[in-house]
Amino acid sequence: MAMPGLLLLFVCAALRSHRTHRSFPLEERNDYDPNTRTKIASSAAKTERRELERSRVGREICEGCDRPPPLCVCRSLPGKLIDTSTSVLILQHPRERRRKSLSTVPLMPLVLNKCTVKVGYNFARRQLDLVAASLDKGQKPLLLFPGSNAISLDDESNGDTVKSLQCSEQLLILVDGTWAEAKRMIMQSPDLVRSCRQVQFTSDHESLYPSSLRKEPEKHCLSTLESCAHALTLLEPCSERATESKTFLEGSMRCMVEKRMQVSESRERAPRFARAGKKTFGKNKRRHEIKKELFG
């Protein structure tokens, strides 16, 4: 039996005005089978929850860095965006986008003028305007991802090849996600990979992430921001802007980590997950209460 719209409106109005729900005549209450009564009570309970959510005031956000004030990193950012010769394109896994509190990618457009972020599970070159524009100029984009066929930007044996890359403006592509996510994105984007020159760097660098906040697979594994900062200095070794961008990128990450550590230490740590069934129990309890008030 379909739920009458007028009845649902009545229930919602009653909930808002806090009137008793026993205003249904007995004969009208008996018109509804148990399943329909449950649906009506569930809808009324959901309306209550939604109105409560809407009534809550959103938390304050810094206009400069789009973070809550306790996590603001504005003091570590440059006065104006740094315009490097290299353009940066970040291909971000959707799950990584949801890890906002510790993700380094949101910091990068706050430092670099030529920085674009695209979100998805896989990519084709026709989907990316920057890639298409680079290929139209007869220049293959650089995909920063380790591999046996990758050109090592810091290997002296590749001196001539690296110098040729340093002599022109480049499009640098980075993949943002866990190692498993990044590998899957590369495997699922063969058209893009074929259109790029794969590059890497082999020198060891320890990440700014403390293990207590985010653990990397190996000590030499870096965040997307750190990898970008190092690659920029390798592609533009004589550029003051590349050096400046590295300084501000790493400085903003240090600030983010420092603020995050302070917040973690200052607040009492609550359990990450509520007790199993606690949320469902609360929803069901309110539904049963409303059902009893409406239909007896």
Side-chain angles (χ1 to χ4, degrees):
M1 177 178 177
M3 189 191 310
L6 288 176
L7 176 58
L8 196 53
L9 288 174
F10 173 82
V11 172
C12 296
L15 284 168
R16 283 195 290 270
S17 59
H18 302 287
R19 295 184 303 204
T20 177
H21 304 300
R22 291 185 178 273
S23 50
F24 283 113
L26 179 61
E27 60 275 10
E28 186 175 339
R29 283 187 250 156
N30 292 335
D31 285 343
Y32 301 103
D33 59 77
N35 187 47
T36 302
R37 294 181 186 184
T38 299
K39 286 183 179 180
I40 293 172
S42 296
S43 296
K46 184 181 288 186
T47 299
E48 275 190 344
R49 293 196 300 273
R50 285 179 175 174
E51 290 189 348
L52 179 61
E53 290 172 358
R54 292 190 189 105
S55 67
R56 291 172 180 162
V57 179
R59 63 179 180 178
E60 186 180 355
I61 297 294
C62 172
E63 293 182 0
C65 61
D66 197 32
R67 291 172 177 267
L71 300 176
C72 175
V73 297
C74 287
R75 65 177 175 85
S76 65
L77 300 176
K80 63 178 183 178
L81 297 178
I82 302 172
D83 200 4
T84 57
S85 297
T86 305
S87 299
V88 176
L89 173 61
I90 303 164
L91 306 180
Q92 188 176 49
H93 193 282
R95 286 183 183 172
E96 193 65 26
R97 186 176 182 83
R98 294 194 289 269
R99 302 181 182 116
K100 290 183 178 179
S101 62
L102 285 177
S103 175
T104 60
V105 167
L107 300 174
M108 297 171 67
L110 302 177
V111 175
L112 302 173
N113 187 37
K114 298 178 182 178
C115 182
T116 305
V117 182
K118 297 291 185 182
V119 181
Y121 293 101
N122 52 70
F123 299 88
R125 60 182 180 179
R126 65 179 180 277
Q127 298 174 310
L128 305 168
D129 293 340
L130 288 173
V131 173
S134 180
L135 292 172
D136 288 343
K137 293 188 296 184
Q139 188 174 48
K140 281 191 170 186
L142 305 181
L143 175 62
L144 184 62
F145 198 82
S148 57
N149 298 323
I151 301 169
S152 295
L153 298 176
D154 53 357
D155 189 341
E156 293 182 359
S157 63
N158 296 323
D160 293 338
T161 303
V162 174
K163 283 182 181 178
S164 67
L165 297 177
Q166 295 170 347
C167 291
S168 56
E169 296 183 356
Q170 300 291 341
L171 171 61
L172 178 66
I173 302 176
L174 300 100
V175 183
D176 183 54
T178 64
W179 275 108
E181 291 167 350
K183 289 176 183 176
R184 198 175 303 118
M185 289 170 69
I186 291 293
M187 291 177 61
Q188 294 177 354
S189 307
D191 174 60
L192 176 64
V193 174
R194 284 194 299 267
S195 304
C196 298
R197 300 182 73 175
Q198 197 169 335
V199 296
Q200 63 182 5
F201 50 81
T202 55
S203 53
D204 288 342
H205 296 270
E206 193 166 336
S207 177
L208 295 173
Y209 272 132
S211 57
S212 57
L213 277 185
R214 188 166 185 173
K215 191 173 181 180
E216 299 290 352
E218 300 290 343
K219 281 189 175 182
H220 62 271
C221 294
L222 301 179
S223 67
T224 303
L225 178 147
E226 293 168 296
S227 299
C228 178
H230 190 56
L232 286 175
T233 58
L234 292 173
L235 291 171
E236 303 179 36
C238 300
S239 170
E240 292 183 3
R241 291 180 180 178
T243 304
E244 184 183 14
S245 67
K246 185 175 188 294
T247 300
F248 277 104
L249 284 170
E250 293 179 346
S252 64
M253 183 176 173
R254 286 192 187 94
C255 184
M256 178 193 74
V257 168
E258 177 186 328
K259 292 294 186 73
R260 193 70 207 175
M261 293 287 285
Q262 289 174 355
V263 169
S264 298
E265 291 171 1
S266 63
R267 71 184 179 190
E268 186 175 328
R269 296 188 68 82
R272 186 178 178 186
F273 300 104
R275 182 165 54 88
K278 186 176 181 181
K279 189 174 181 180
T280 304
F281 174 79
K283 290 181 179 180
N284 290 339
K285 181 182 178 183
R286 183 59 186 145
R287 185 191 69 200
H288 289 308
E289 290 172 352
I290 293 175
K291 186 176 179 181
K292 186 174 181 181
E293 291 175 3
L294 285 173
F295 303 105

